[in-house]
Amino acid sequence: MTNLELSRLDLEHIWHPCTQMSDHKNFPIIPIKSGKGAILSDFDGNSYIDCVSSWWVNLFGHSNDYINAKLSEQASNLEHVIMAGFSHEGIIKLSKRLVDLLPKPLNKCFYGDNGSSAIEIALKMSHHKNLIKGKNKPLFLNLKNSYHGETIAALSVGDVELYKKIYKNILIKTVQTSVPMSFKGNEVSDEEALNDLKITLEKYSDQISAFILEPLIQCAGDMNMYSGDFIKKACDLAKSYDIDIIFDEVAVGFGRTGSMFALEQCGVVPDFLCISKGITGGYLPLSVVVTSDETYELFYDTYESKKAFLHSHSYTGNALACACANATLDIFEQENVIEKNLHLSKFIKSEFSKLLKYDFIDNFRQTGMVLAFDLVGFKEPRTGYEIYKRALQKGLLLRPLANTIYFMPPYIITKEQVELVVRVLDELLGELRR
């Protein structure tokens, strides 16, 4: 079938995520036939460089030979087993490997099947933990401009109005504090954000169960990047009031920020670490909340105590997903990925710096394997969307956040492909008129 035929059939039955479907009345859905490395190919023979790692999940390329082999091997033995009262070798191995990569006292893994689920687990665990300790703390503290997912509790602790506003009447209770920011017409320094945090904590600390934040990059918050130094000071302050720390590393974990986990650049060991997305190399849904033995032991009692953490997902710890996750960690170990990314990220910055000749580019920024800049001064509110459409016609899959253009590719992208992305963007930006 052709792209057009499949697109028409798609629109008869599929409601796509994060999409105003009327946009596709005159702009067809693109069905993808295959992928290899950083390239996706459609049914009409067109190819696209995946500049966004297919929503930030793909680390080592589409149809990676090594992950393919490990997935196939697992599928021939065990596809899934209930994780209540049972286990399997893959998840045992994966848990040990994750814990070995993380600082103490992070030692216990609780599994979910997507990023939002991990956030829900961490929020519930923190509140439940405090109840066991005799403390009823109904509030959660989050940063402005944050995003933590779109299930109800995860949405509640986020601050991207586009997703959140319409559901305000059904969200859980939260309080917000400022985040350092140097764009969107809102300049907030580290000192100002810390002062706001102090005021918030003085007012609400006895009611706050946990402080949740995305370390180093607020990805869906237009790629706002802020310092590990601020995070360290903010978390130390929150801990002084006996408030749990939840790190949402769903998007920034597994090498995205230049270290295996962003927490390594912050000098903070959170009470709960949420990881997902890149954990399986972009193959299958899986998420993990990693916490301490101390937290685990608070829930450890007789059945009659009713202290058990009764949260479950049907596909918790799926064997196929765990096989992909173990294969992903194999690649990190065997190919010196973090060091290679340091060199690749420098090359990416050097190439993209060629675009700074345009006076409508502002807040050019980079953290690890994430680079972003803003398009400013345009009357058209969807300039980023126009770039997205034109880029597809020239073989680039971009997905701007409003008028923020970002580059978050698979780690296996070649220098030649990076150069091509910049050339195409240069051409597209040169066509823009304010």
Side-chain angles (χ1 to χ4, degrees):
M1 297 179 75
T2 66
N3 278 2
L4 188 57
E5 290 168 333
L6 286 166
S7 179
R8 286 173 177 167
L9 187 59
D10 175 292
L11 293 175
E12 287 183 24
H13 304 291
I14 300 174
W15 192 345
H16 288 259
C18 202
T19 300
Q20 174 46 260
M21 293 303 295
S22 66
D23 281 343
H24 291 292
K25 286 171 62 176
N26 301 308
F27 184 60
I29 294 285
I30 299 175
I32 295 299
K33 182 178 183 179
S34 63
K36 192 66 182 176
I39 302 296
L40 294 165
S41 301
D42 67 20
F43 284 78
D44 289 347
N46 302 306
S47 296
Y48 311 88
I49 297 177
D50 188 351
C51 300
V52 299
S53 297
S54 288
W55 245 339
W56 319 341
V57 300
N58 191 288
L59 302 188
F60 299 121
H62 298 279
S63 193
N64 180 282
D65 290 343
Y66 183 77
I67 301 176
N68 284 355
K70 292 299 182 179
L71 177 58
S72 178
E73 179 183 318
Q74 182 62 48
S76 67
N77 291 304
L78 174 69
E79 82 299 337
H80 184 62
V81 65
I82 180 175
M83 282 299 294
F86 291 83
S87 189
H88 56 86
E89 185 178 10
I91 198 170
I92 295 167
K93 180 180 178 182
L94 175 61
S95 301
K96 177 66 166 63
R97 296 177 81 181
L98 289 173
V99 167
D100 286 347
L101 287 169
L102 292 166
K104 300 300 181 186
L106 296 176
N107 192 54
K108 283 292 190 296
C109 298
F110 192 101
Y111 286 81
D113 51 22
N114 62 73
S116 293
S117 295
I119 300 302
E120 300 272 339
I121 290 164
L123 295 173
K124 288 173 66 177
M125 248 182 211
S126 176
H127 180 66
H128 194 163
K129 165 188 168 183
N130 277 295
L131 287 177
I132 291 172
K133 296 169 73 173
K135 301 174 183 179
N136 182 17
K137 293 185 170 186
L139 301 181
F140 293 95
L141 175 65
N142 67 290
L143 294 175
K144 293 179 180 178
N145 195 56
S146 59
Y147 174 91
H148 298 288
E150 293 168 47
T151 48
I152 292 300
L155 193 63
S156 300
V157 293
D159 185 43
V160 179
E161 186 177 273
L162 176 67
Y163 305 109
K164 182 174 181 177
K165 184 177 180 180
I166 195 69
Y167 306 108
K168 64 181 180 179
N169 293 331
I170 59 172
L171 301 179
I172 66 173
K173 301 172 185 177
T174 63
V175 289
Q176 290 183 345
T177 189
S178 296
V179 64
M181 185 178 290
S182 59
F183 67 116
K184 296 175 71 173
N186 187 15
E187 303 284 330
V188 179
S189 68
D190 284 17
E191 183 179 357
E192 289 170 328
L194 287 169
N195 285 336
D196 188 27
L197 176 60
K198 290 174 185 175
I199 293 169
T200 303
L201 290 173
E202 287 169 1
K203 185 175 181 180
Y204 295 105
S205 62
D206 62 335
Q207 302 176 63
I208 296 172
S209 182
F211 176 30
I212 183 170
L213 64 157
E214 304 150 276
L216 300 181
I217 311 175
Q218 294 181 311
C219 291
D222 294 340
M223 296 296 169
N224 181 42
M225 300 179 185
Y226 59 116
S227 73
D229 183 60
F230 165 79
I231 293 167
K232 168 68 172 169
K233 291 175 180 177
C235 290
D236 285 350
L237 188 56
K239 289 301 290 182
S240 73
Y241 285 90
D242 191 31
I243 292 171
D244 288 335
I245 305 298
I246 300 172
F247 268 14
D248 175 355
E249 292 215 29
V250 168
V252 300
F254 298 98
R256 273 295 168 197
T257 65
S259 53
M260 190 64 170
F261 297 101
L263 61 83
E264 297 170 42
Q265 300 179 53
C266 304
V268 175
V269 180
D271 298 281
F272 303 95
L273 174 66
C274 301
I275 49 180
S276 187
K277 286 193 183 288
I279 191 171
T280 66
Y283 269 66
L284 287 166
L286 185 70
S287 64
V288 191
V289 178
V290 191
T291 189
S292 65
D293 287 328
E294 180 182 359
T295 294
Y296 169 84
E297 287 163 4
L298 286 170
F299 293 83
Y300 193 92
D301 207 329
T302 63
Y303 178 82
E304 289 74 21
S305 71
K306 298 184 179 179
K307 289 182 180 179
F309 185 64
L310 301 180
H311 183 106
S312 59
H313 297 271
S314 299
Y315 282 92
T316 289
N318 175 257
L320 298 176
C322 289
C324 293
N326 276 311
T328 296
L329 291 183
D330 288 345
I331 295 172
F332 271 106
E333 292 175 3
Q334 296 164 7
E335 299 187 13
N336 197 19
V337 173
I338 300 300
E339 182 65 28
K340 288 181 180 178
N341 279 357
L342 291 175
H343 296 288
L344 181 55
S345 64
K346 290 178 182 178
F347 179 80
I348 288 170
K349 184 176 183 179
S350 175
E351 285 297 304
F352 273 79
S353 293
K354 296 174 182 178
L355 303 176
L356 290 173
K357 63 186 178 182
Y358 295 105
D359 63 1
F360 50 74
I361 287 180
D362 191 28
N363 194 28
F364 185 88
R365 55 202 183 275
Q366 184 187 37
T367 298
M369 287 293 290
V370 184
L371 183 142
F373 58 85
D374 305 319
L375 303 178
V376 298
F378 290 91
K379 295 179 182 178
E380 169 56 54
R382 301 189 77 189
T383 301
Y385 182 63
E386 288 303 312
I387 290 288
Y388 164 69
K389 292 195 294 185
R390 296 181 193 182
L392 282 172
Q393 295 171 358
K394 295 181 179 293
L396 302 187
L397 169 52
L398 298 167
R399 191 175 171 86
L401 296 157
N403 286 346
T404 295
I405 308 296
Y406 70 90
F407 186 59
M408 198 170 176
Y411 302 159
I412 48 76
I413 194 167
T414 66
K415 289 184 176 180
E416 291 75 21
Q417 288 168 337
V418 173
E419 291 169 342
L420 177 57
V421 170
V422 172
R423 286 200 301 271
V424 171
L425 270 172
D426 191 3
E427 180 181 344
L428 295 176
L429 294 173
E431 297 170 354
L432 290 181
R433 296 290 181 270
R434 283 186 286 185

